[in-house]
Amino acid sequence: MKKATVILAHPRFEQSYANKEIIRQIDLQMPNVEVRDISKMYPDFQIDVKAEQKALEESDVIVFQFPWWWYSSPAILKHYLDEVLEFGWAYGPNGNALVGKHLIVSTTAGGGDSFYKPGGANHFYIDTLLAPFEETALKARMLWHRAVRSHDMAYVPGIYHSEKSVKARAKNHADELVAVMKGIVEFSEEEYIKDFLLNDWFPASDDLEENGHFTAHFTLTTYFDLDGQVYKAHEGFVEWMEGVRKVLKPGTVKHTVTDLAVQKGTKSAHKVLMTLNVKAETFGGEQIDITTNEGWSIDLTNDRKVIITERISKRVEA
């Protein structure tokens, strides 16, 4: 299970209605999420850099939770980023600590949605004003998610909104944020790859599917070693597949996978090991029965597309 950490930056959290309700809902719906209230932890702005770096290193999903103040976050979060995201740690030479981690900005604005657009009172969309946070994610090679943000979150008794309406909007905000977090922390890359191979790739291979179905999952440097014969990239695979189609009779091919194991490597890389048996009939009526030990290298893109970078197949002697 992946870990999510919320960096809460609200200097007046005890007076808050919206952010307090959002954190309460996170605690209720995802009790294993760590909430680090940096305004409370560091009231003097003396950030414990090593402790915060450790917390981020141990997290797969990082959420910045804050109220929208003067078109950005409260000062404590900016100071936190300045101190914690050090050169050589978050970016620059050997600055790989945050690579591949998910970043979600979650913010609550007092003004209405109509205020934040060209021609509105604040002239710019909030997503435009959040560009420095997005660039921070890109600089650290994190995975940026569209911000979760809500409007009309300011409650001034007797003047502006009501406590009930603000808390209701905060509950909806929290539900959206939790759904995004759960979609990441409860997602198993290993099971996703297994499902792709068993329910997409090999059934398509049984059907001798069109080349485009397969090459969509390759790069220009994908490498295939199929029992000692090397093929490279799209052209190589197409050459191999066209040769298969000339020999095997459609409707007779059956792939059976056993001993399938997916091992997580660095960043987005995975190593897949399996035993593959292929039975088919040739156009000449010959029965084919081949078993191979397979080693595949597979990456997952940010939008969860499976990319095969290498396939090594070695025939098992009967």
Side-chain angles (χ1 to χ4, degrees), residues 190 261-265 269-273:
E190 293 78 6
V262 180
Q263 303 168 354
K264 182 75 166 71
H270 299 76
K271 187 71 174 179
V272 180
L273 302 174

Side-chain angles (χ1 to χ4, degrees), residues 238-266:
V238 171
E239 175 190 349
W240 175 77
M241 194 66 178
E242 291 299 333
V244 169
R245 292 195 184 98
K246 290 177 181 178
V247 174
L248 301 185
K249 186 177 179 181
T252 70
V253 184
K254 178 62 179 177
H255 289 76
T256 302
V257 180
T258 55
D259 302 322
L260 176 58
V262 180
Q263 303 168 354
K264 182 75 166 71
T266 59

Side-chain angles (χ1 to χ4, degrees), residues 134-192:
E134 183 174 0
E135 175 57 25
T136 296
L138 294 173
K139 188 74 171 178
R141 287 168 290 165
M142 303 175 76
L143 305 180
W144 171 258
H145 292 258
R146 185 174 184 273
V148 178
R149 65 277 197 285
S150 297
H151 296 270
D152 295 315
M153 289 298 215
Y155 167 49
V156 180
I159 299 175
Y160 204 52
H161 299 130
S162 69
E163 180 180 348
K164 182 177 180 180
S165 66
V166 168
K167 286 186 175 180
R169 283 191 285 275
K171 168 66 164 58
N172 291 337
H173 180 114
D175 289 345
E176 180 182 350
L177 176 59
V178 165
V180 176
M181 286 195 289
K182 282 187 173 182
I184 301 169
V185 300
E186 296 179 0
F187 173 72
S188 169
E189 296 176 350
E190 293 78 6
E191 292 302 316
Y192 186 82

Side-chain angles (χ1 to χ4, degrees), residues 56-117:
L56 298 184
E57 287 173 353
E58 294 174 350
S59 303
D60 301 284
V61 182
I62 299 165
V63 178
F64 294 156
Q65 177 65 52
F66 57 88
W68 192 242
W69 282 12
W70 277 106
Y71 312 112
S72 186
S73 68
I76 184 64
L77 182 55
K78 179 60 168 67
H79 182 63
Y80 179 97
L81 297 175
D82 290 342
E83 295 292 304
V84 176
L85 272 59
E86 291 180 318
F87 178 80
W89 183 82
Y91 68 102
N94 302 315
N96 302 318
L98 300 177
V99 173
K101 297 181 185 294
H102 299 258
L103 179 62
I104 306 169
V105 165
S106 170
T107 187
T108 55
D113 182 57
S114 63
F115 290 10
Y116 290 92
K117 65 180 183 181

